[in-house]
Amino acid sequence: MKIVLLGPPGAGKGTQAKFISEKYSIPHISTGDIFRKNIAEKTQLGLKAKSYLDAGKLVPDEVTIDIVKDRLGNEDCKNGFLLDGFPRTVTQAEALDLFLDNKDQKIDTTLLIDVPKESILERMTGRRVCSSCGASYHVKFNPTKVNGKCDICGGDVVQRKDDTEVTVKDRLNIYDEQTQPLIGYYKKQNKLSTINGTGDINEVFKRVKISLEAYLDDNNKN
Ligand code: ADP
Ligand code: ADP
Ligand code: ZN
């Protein structure tokens, strides 16, 4: 299955992505994780991307699109993939469609994780992430078992530099201006499924599964 996860920063995309990736055996591709890894390793891409991430601004489309195309060309994406944090602009979505179309492929479905703005600030300022595997935790809603250590890989769990109140507000504005239009873009293609992202993490995943199973059922019938 080829899936796109949509939703504002802090909606729980990364959290749900880990579950989906495991259950449906498809790679989780997070552009944010790719940028952060490159910044940590001080690669050329990392040096280019750093100022944008620090400021909560979008990395330019040309740079981002090339990285995703490159990643989707990997062998592990042959039977599907889960995109988290990409596309974030209509230009990116169009480039993705064109890239897949040229290979006679298409996005199957997009899941919009819907969370009211009021909850987002608390989710993001309390977020902690594993600096090694990218897993997302929350000081209150999803704490690590051992303080400061990732449950999955034992890596150091830290606060992201861009998860401060000021940067979060800027990122939400950018979401409204540049990413929100993608809801209409995928609705028009009949590919949008809205998931209620409030409540317990496992409850949200149940809703995700119901939506994906419904999609699979429909497609087996056709
Ligand atoms: P969040 O999980 O809060 O939505 P991400 O980890 O997806 O954040 O992204 C972090 C930062 O990486 C963004 O603020 C932006 O600077 C950059 N980034 C990630 N994905 C994209 C993209 N598709 N286009 C441009 N910039 C991106
Ligand atoms: P995104 O990838 O959309 O930016 P994350 O998956 O990183 O979002 O989640 C943002 C923060 O909210 C993290 O601290 C995460 O642990 C927490 N979180 C995710 N889902 C829920 C939920 N259903 N209820 C409460 N907190 C959640
Ligand atoms: Zn980890």
Side-chain angles (χ1 to χ4, degrees):
M1 241 187 315
K2 300 182 181 67
I3 307 170
V4 166
L5 279 182
L6 278 182
K13 300 184 295 299
T15 302
Q16 295 300 323
K18 295 270 178 219
F19 293 132
I20 299 169
S21 162
E22 196 177 339
K23 163 118 183 117
Y24 295 94
S25 305
I26 45 175
H28 167 206
I29 302 173
S30 154
T31 37
D33 284 350
I34 295 174
F35 288 133
R36 279 185 291 277
K37 187 164 184 284
N38 277 274
I39 290 171
E41 290 170 359
K42 298 198 166 63
T43 66
Q44 278 223 318
L45 169 65
L47 295 175
K48 234 189 265 177
K50 186 174 186 320
S51 60
Y52 296 100
L53 270 89
D54 284 352
K57 299 221 167 73
L58 294 186
V59 177
D61 282 337
E62 318 81 77
V63 177
T64 311
I65 289 166
D66 278 352
I67 288 161
V68 173
K69 282 187 190 169
D70 212 51
R71 179 66 186 85
L72 294 181
N74 273 19
E75 192 59 28
D76 66 339
C77 294
K78 267 225 164 98
N79 296 320
F81 50 78
L82 173 65
L83 284 169
D84 161 17
F86 182 94
R88 256 180 159 94
T89 64
V90 171
T91 306
Q92 291 178 9
E94 286 170 349
L96 175 65
D97 279 349
L98 186 66
F99 174 76
L100 292 175
D101 198 43
N102 283 336
K103 302 200 288 181
D104 270 331
Q105 296 178 355
K106 61 175 176 50
I107 292 297
D108 291 302
T109 186
T110 56
L111 302 177
L112 168 67
I113 315 240
D114 191 29
V115 174
K117 282 260 158 78
E118 306 85 76
S119 317
I120 286 196
L121 197 63
E122 190 183 14
R123 283 195 186 185
M124 286 176 85
T125 48
R127 169 159 62 186
R128 299 293 182 268
V129 294
C130 173
S131 47
S132 194
C133 76
S136 226
Y137 298 93
H138 192 281
V139 289
K140 184 163 144 199
F141 303 125
N142 185 24
T144 53
K145 293 198 179 86
V146 177
N147 198 16
K149 296 288 171 201
C150 176
D151 292 355
I152 301 166
C153 77
D156 287 333
V157 170
V158 298
Q159 180 162 30
R160 271 169 50 175
K161 214 174 160 185
D162 58 345
D163 275 347
T164 60
E165 194 163 332
V166 177
T167 315
V168 166
K169 285 192 174 140
D170 287 345
R171 285 160 64 200
L172 287 173
N173 287 335
I174 291 180
Y175 174 80
D176 285 344
E177 283 161 21
Q178 307 214 48
T179 309
Q180 190 122 286
L182 291 181
I183 295 174
Y185 181 91
Y186 286 113
K187 214 182 241 172
K188 232 189 249 164
Q189 295 190 8
N190 240 325
K191 285 184 185 165
L192 190 82
S193 187
T194 303
I195 310 287
N196 172 359
T198 59
D200 185 77
I201 289 173
N202 295 311
E203 282 302 314
V204 178
F205 184 53
K206 274 188 199 154
R207 296 176 198 135
V208 166
K209 273 189 295 190
I210 290 170
S211 172
L212 291 177
E213 297 301 328
Y215 173 82
L216 287 171
D217 278 352
D218 280 354
N219 275 271
N220 288 337
K221 273 180 223 137
N222 291 336

